[in-house]
Amino acid sequence: MRIFITGGAGYVGSHCARLLRESGHELCIYDNLSAGHRGAVEASELVVGDLADVKKLHQTMSDFGPEAVMHFAASTAVGESVKEPLLYYRNNVVNTVNLLEVMKSLEVKKLVFSSTCATYGVPPKMPITEDMPTHPLSPYGRTKLIMEQVYADCSRAWGLGFAALRYFNASGASFDVTIGEDHKPETHLIPIVLQVALGQREQVEIFGDDYPTPDGTCIRDYIHVEDLADAHQRALLTLTPGKQIIVNLGTGSGHSVKEVIDVTEKVTGKKINVKMGPRREGDTPSLYADPTNGQKVLGWQAKVTNLEDIIQTAWEWHREHPNGFAE
Ligand SMILES: NC(=O)c1ccc[n+]([C@@H]2O[C@H](COP(=O)([O-])OP(=O)(O)OC[C@H]3O[C@@H](n4cnc5c(N)ncnc54)[C@H](O)[C@@H]3O)[C@@H](O)[C@H]2O)c1
């Protein structure tokens, strides 16, 4: 298949692109490199461009002639979205509408989309199923939910087939340690704890230890990035024009912040300095997926389910690439 990938030079996108390339698909990666890295992709597949540049987007897509689009490009920091909501509505909503307009004009009717568990807000119970109410707590989560609703409208109006994949916490690195996570600034727990292990940070701050969880710290579902890539490939093969898929991508198990720190100490053999801080606004005590719908709809289930294995792959990447892609 010919697949157009927005944001394919970013963390999750580059791992998916690699799997698709290895499976024999032809790729065009469209990324403005605001957060992505040249070193994460094949140079011959990369077009440096912005989704806001509709003329370039249209030209690039029509030259390539894709059968499907995978849309990873977005602004992704929850905290920043609270301070700069318009930036998020412009990049995640307006620019995605640009993409849909070009897809419609070229009659491309398959879209795999990076959605998020942040669409749920505070779910009524755990684990989270896709039919639970969606009340996002941040502008970031709202932009993703809005786009899911826009896709459903486009599906009814002109036959767009879409898969909204609601990831939980993407983590880990490629098994061969050639690509991994490199966000600047880093906001995700596992890479931050590993930066402490590497001596690049003095400590990790825990935002609250008085939550109603067994050790008082927040619980999240860490899903390996290679498992995410596998789910994307399956979604692509499952999609047909007009089809609507919404699937949680998680392991089904939750791990607390303290557990992540303890396991990191075990994996790295290093002491992790911790600073206790107050709760952070907008954090939900516990979020973990019920992944059974992914099995039913995509025939998918996470293979890397052990937190130690997830952190091990991340550790190998960060140890071998302490400065990330270092461009
Ligand atoms: N990482 C996670 O834990 C997680 C969890 C849930 C959902 N998601 C979603 O998955 C997707 C990928 O996340 P990630 O962690 O790989 O993020 P990332 O920042 O590493 O990747 C996003 C990529 O999009 C590119 N980009 C951003 N705006 C663009 C624009 N206007 N035009 C062209 N390119 C643009 C960036 O340069 C970057 O390469 C995002 O949509 C994110 O919201 C991520």
Side-chain angles (χ1 to χ4, degrees):
M1 235 190 255
R2 296 173 70 73
I3 308 161
F4 188 81
I5 306 182
T6 77
Y11 171 44
V12 183
S14 59
H15 287 77
C16 292
R18 214 176 74 145
L19 177 64
L20 295 168
R21 187 182 302 125
E22 284 169 2
S23 304
H25 299 287
E26 275 182 67
L27 312 182
C28 175
I29 293 171
Y30 191 85
D31 196 303
N32 66 4
L33 298 183
S34 57
H37 308 277
R38 276 181 199 279
V41 294
E42 291 287 322
S44 59
E45 292 167 351
L46 178 66
V47 174
V48 179
D50 199 299
L51 291 172
D53 185 347
V54 181
K55 208 169 148 205
K56 182 164 189 171
L57 179 65
H58 191 285
Q59 191 63 55
T60 310
M61 240 168 128
S62 99
D63 288 350
F64 180 65
E67 296 158 78
V69 171
M70 286 206 177
H71 180 36
F72 299 94
S75 300
T76 65
V78 175
E80 185 187 48
S81 81
V82 176
K83 294 192 189 106
E84 296 287 351
L86 296 180
L87 198 145
Y88 278 68
Y89 285 105
R90 178 155 299 281
N91 201 26
N92 297 1
V93 176
V94 177
N95 286 342
T96 303
V97 171
N98 291 342
L99 176 69
L100 287 168
E101 281 173 342
V102 176
M103 288 177 67
K104 178 169 182 271
S105 74
L106 298 174
E107 296 188 37
V108 181
K109 295 188 178 172
K110 290 183 189 173
L111 174 70
V112 182
F113 173 62
S114 304
S115 192
T116 166
C117 63
T119 51
Y120 293 107
V122 185
K125 60 182 169 68
M126 290 296 135
I128 304 173
T129 50
E130 290 82 352
D131 56 359
M132 281 186 185
T134 42
H135 299 295
L137 299 177
S138 66
Y140 167 73
R142 268 187 287 282
T143 62
K144 295 285 183 176
L145 184 61
I146 288 169
M147 287 321 305
E148 287 189 5
Q149 292 163 347
V150 173
Y151 300 144
D153 287 337
C154 293
S155 178
R156 285 185 285 270
W158 50 273
L160 175 73
F162 74 89
L165 305 182
R166 292 179 175 166
Y167 318 164
F168 283 64
N169 290 47
S171 45
S174 70
F175 298 131
D176 68 358
V177 203
T178 54
I179 51 176
E181 188 163 14
D182 179 10
H183 289 125
K184 293 187 179 76
E186 190 52 76
T187 59
H188 295 146
L189 179 63
I190 291 176
I192 286 177
V193 179
L194 290 173
Q195 286 171 354
V196 179
L198 282 170
Q200 296 172 327
R201 271 180 202 254
E202 236 171 74
Q203 60 199 14
V204 54
E205 182 169 359
I206 298 182
F207 299 109
D209 64 352
D210 57 351
Y211 284 97
T213 60
D215 67 19
T217 63
C218 286
I219 289 177
R220 295 290 179 267
D221 186 338
Y222 295 91
I223 177 74
H224 198 275
V225 68
E226 297 270 30
D227 278 324
L228 290 180
D230 177 29
H232 281 72
Q233 175 154 272
R234 287 169 188 267
L236 188 74
L237 301 177
T238 308
L239 269 184
T240 49
K243 192 162 179 175
Q244 302 187 20
I245 295 173
I246 296 184
V247 164
N248 285 339
L249 297 183
T251 61
S253 301
H255 299 284
S256 73
V257 174
K258 280 191 179 156
E259 219 181 320
V260 168
I261 293 169
D262 289 348
V263 173
T264 304
E265 286 190 335
K266 185 172 168 211
V267 167
T268 63
K270 313 267 184 193
K271 172 92 188 92
I272 304 296
N273 292 326
V274 169
K275 178 185 163 196
M276 279 314 309
R279 287 186 181 195
R280 200 168 46 173
E281 205 187 309
D283 271 344
T284 310
S286 190
L287 285 174
Y288 55 93
D290 179 334
T292 48
N293 194 41
Q295 169 74 51
K296 209 166 74 192
V297 177
L298 305 177
W300 173 87
Q301 84 186 81
K303 294 189 188 85
V304 192
T305 51
N306 184 317
L307 182 63
E308 197 173 322
D309 296 338
I310 292 176
I311 294 178
Q312 182 67 41
T313 68
W315 171 233
E316 282 165 20
W317 156 258
H318 285 277
R319 199 176 39 185
E320 282 193 26
H321 307 269
N323 299 313
F325 289 96
E327 286 134 349

